[in-house]
Amino acid sequence: MSGTEMMQRPPAELRWAEDLALLRERDDAPKPPGWALSVDAAKRFIVGDPKLGIANKFVGDVSLVDRALVSLATTRGLLLTGEPGTAKSLLSELLSAAVSGDSTLTIQGGAATTEDQIRYGWNYALLVSEGPSERSIVPAPMMRGMRDGKVVRFEELTRCPLEVQDSILSLLSDRVLAVPELGEMVYATAGFNVIATANTRDRGVNDMSAALKRRFNFETVFPIGDFAAELALVEAEAENLLRKSGVPRAPQRDVLEVLVTAFRELRSGTTDSGDSLDRMSAVMSTAEAVSVAHAVGLRGWYLRGETGDSADIVHCLAGTAAKDDPDDLARLRRYLEQQVPRKPGKAWKALHDARFQLPG
């Protein structure tokens, strides 16, 4: 295996290096200053180009991609909001890879995030021995992005304390980073911008200040509306993950259809036939469905030497249902007992028969 194949999750610029190289070679459209690709080529990298053999990498609204790229060409940042698991981080990564050829300038927001992790820090051994100097400074993603003219990704911005969030105000408005210890200023070069993400469920944790909101263009990433598109995505991603886990075959299509249908119904609180049911408080996203499909395949192969079946779905769903609300297990049990028996097919019957495997 190559180095990339051994990586559990290569960055977009390595995973799709051939697509980026092909687009750069064929790209004769005007580029915004500092961009690796034109806006049109960047869009085709994300949504695909059948003529060049480039596959679609983001299942969602194409006009959203257009607006996001145009936003990054301005002096405002881009904030992607939406439910957890709607591929905000993936879209952020793809945009960064297309615009800068580098998606690794990433800040993971959280309660423990500090300004040093955003702007710059110090090599304290050199700081003590030499004092503040160019050698002792440790550039963080914002400094590197401004200096090199690249896009910086700020994941889960609203999970950071307010004072940490506001530390990027001057970077977004004045496009300059002061280093008072050295008496220097780092000015942003062409190509620099910021893509932030925020879950709509978590926005109330540390809501953004009005000043910071004004420095972003907001775009909402919605769940996949089309069943066939969501099924195809879950199947493709599960196959990829299972192959890397040493499993040669993914679960059968009918098993994945049951999985995706169950997720969609529990997510919306409505069955395909229009019946109402208790909506799960846990995140029943496409990303979570991929994770469960991966676990189903692993369980079937390593425990029995076969592809996973619908009974495995119940075992793997239990961990999803128990994350946030203890009542979710009861909601899942009612779904299996009341709604699943009405659905035709062996895969649905196996799902119903395995309901007793739920804990509690």
Side-chain angles (χ1 to χ4, degrees):
M1 283 190 177
S2 66
T4 301
E5 291 174 336
M6 287 298 293
M7 294 180 186
Q8 288 191 333
R9 193 184 183 284
E13 60 272 18
L14 294 182
R15 185 177 178 184
W16 292 292
E18 292 182 2
D19 288 358
L20 288 169
L22 179 60
L23 285 166
R24 281 194 294 267
E25 180 184 342
R26 305 287 184 91
D27 191 10
D28 54 6
K31 303 180 182 67
W35 282 36
L37 294 173
S38 66
V39 173
D40 178 65
K43 174 184 175 181
R44 287 185 285 135
F45 170 69
I46 297 170
V47 303
D49 185 344
K51 292 182 180 179
L52 293 181
I54 295 175
N56 180 23
K57 302 170 185 66
F58 172 71
V59 180
D61 185 6
V62 175
S63 65
L64 166 63
V65 178
D66 287 334
R67 295 193 302 271
L69 287 167
V70 171
S71 179
L72 289 175
T74 71
T75 55
R76 280 194 175 186
L78 172 66
L79 182 67
L80 301 174
T81 69
E83 287 283 312
T86 50
K88 299 183 296 299
S89 295
L90 173 63
L91 179 57
S92 167
E93 181 183 5
L94 292 170
L95 288 166
S96 300
V99 170
S100 302
D102 184 357
S103 65
T104 61
L105 296 181
T106 305
I107 303 160
Q108 181 59 56
T113 303
T114 63
E115 289 189 35
D116 289 357
Q117 296 168 322
I118 297 172
R119 298 153 68 98
Y120 62 89
W122 298 96
N123 180 323
Y124 287 103
L126 287 175
L127 185 64
V128 170
S129 62
E130 300 179 358
S133 66
E134 291 288 347
R135 282 201 336 132
S136 60
I137 200 166
V138 179
M142 280 294 179
M143 176 179 277
R144 293 174 58 196
M146 296 177 73
R147 183 187 60 198
D148 300 338
K150 293 184 177 182
V151 173
V152 177
R153 300 168 56 207
F154 201 135
E155 295 289 319
E156 304 286 2
L157 174 61
T158 54
R159 298 201 65 81
C160 294
L162 288 174
E163 59 273 17
V164 174
Q165 292 182 30
D166 283 349
S167 69
I168 66 173
L169 276 172
S170 62
L171 310 185
L172 291 172
S173 57
D174 300 331
R175 304 315 239 207
V176 62
L177 171 60
V179 188
E181 296 89 346
L182 301 181
E184 296 181 0
M185 308 286 274
V186 177
Y187 295 95
T189 56
F192 166 73
N193 213 327
V194 177
I195 306 175
T197 64
N199 288 328
T200 50
R201 294 197 181 197
D202 294 339
R203 283 178 65 184
V205 173
N206 292 299
D207 200 9
M208 298 168 61
S209 66
L212 187 56
K213 287 179 180 179
R214 288 194 297 270
R215 286 157 175 80
F216 282 101
N217 289 329
F218 282 58
E219 292 291 346
T220 302
V221 184
F222 293 99
I224 299 173
D226 182 67
F227 172 80
E230 186 169 11
L231 175 61
L233 177 62
V234 170
E235 185 174 34
E237 290 299 313
E239 285 179 350
N240 181 52
L241 290 171
L242 287 167
R243 184 178 66 255
K244 290 187 174 183
S245 299
V247 179
R249 297 190 304 276
Q252 297 294 322
R253 170 59 74 92
D254 60 343
V255 174
L256 294 178
E257 287 178 352
V258 166
L259 172 63
V260 173
T261 301
F263 262 75
R264 291 173 67 87
E265 292 183 343
L266 290 166
R267 180 168 67 219
S268 65
T270 307
T271 66
D272 287 343
S273 59
D275 296 330
S276 296
L277 52 87
D278 290 335
R279 183 179 178 182
M280 300 275 282
S281 62
V283 177
M284 305 300 289
S285 64
T286 304
E288 192 71 30
V290 170
S291 178
V292 172
H294 183 205
V296 167
L298 289 172
R299 181 182 176 85
W301 181 254
Y302 286 117
L303 291 184
R304 303 187 304 275
E306 59 189 34
T307 59
D309 57 27
S310 296
D312 293 313
I313 294 177
V314 176
H315 292 277
C316 299
L317 262 178
T320 298
K323 285 182 179 179
D324 298 319
D325 186 348
D327 292 336
D328 273 345
L329 280 173
R331 295 185 183 105
L332 178 58
R333 184 176 289 105
R334 283 195 295 272
Y335 174 75
L336 296 174
E337 292 174 348
Q338 299 172 11
Q339 301 297 333
V340 170
R342 304 178 186 180
K343 300 179 182 294
K346 293 181 179 179
W348 283 107
K349 183 179 185 304
L351 186 70
H352 177 257
D353 292 344
R355 67 190 184 280
F356 300 109
Q357 303 299 324
L358 281 177

